[in-house]
Amino acid sequence: MKPPEPAALEAAIRRACAERDWERLAALDQLLAELLRTQPQALDAAARAALRAVYRDALEVCRADSAELQEKIAALSHQREAQIAYAEVSDWNQA
């Protein structure tokens, strides 16, 4: 198997991250892990440094999206609790 060009791999990771394409990002992660496991010599020091930097960027985007999703889930949970409380109070008032 011919390893992917480091610049192409870096660009693909950036693109997947920018598009929030988590499945593609996971596939690229697996590809890179396999490459590092089977053909570590395919990446020179500069390519490793560039990929390390793009991974740091991707991790920050993932963390930010995860935090945003957690906030949305918490807000929905609070909204649901408020709806349940309102329904209970309405039932009490009708009794």
Side-chain angles (χ1 to χ4, degrees):
M1 170 180 120
K2 182 179 183 259
E5 290 295 319
L9 187 54
E10 179 185 349
I13 292 169
R14 285 194 191 283
R15 190 171 36 259
C17 193
E19 295 171 359
R20 304 304 199 261
D21 185 346
W22 306 126
E23 289 179 23
R24 179 73 178 139
L25 195 56
L28 291 165
D29 179 60
Q30 288 179 345
L31 175 67
L32 182 57
E34 181 69 14
L35 178 64
L36 289 170
R37 189 177 62 73
T38 61
Q39 301 176 44
Q41 73 285 356
L43 299 173
D44 62 17
R48 286 177 190 255
L51 287 166
R52 197 174 305 119
V54 78
Y55 257 72
R56 275 193 298 271
D57 294 345
L59 282 173
E60 286 303 313
V61 169
C62 290
R63 286 183 185 128
D65 276 13
S66 177
E68 183 180 327
L69 184 58
Q70 287 175 348
E71 288 175 15
K72 286 180 181 179
I73 289 170
L76 288 171
S77 177
H78 290 290
Q79 182 181 19
R80 183 174 182 274
E81 290 171 11
Q83 289 172 343
I84 290 171
Y86 178 78
E88 288 175 357
V89 169
S90 293
D91 286 347
W92 291 336
N93 288 337
Q94 291 176 4

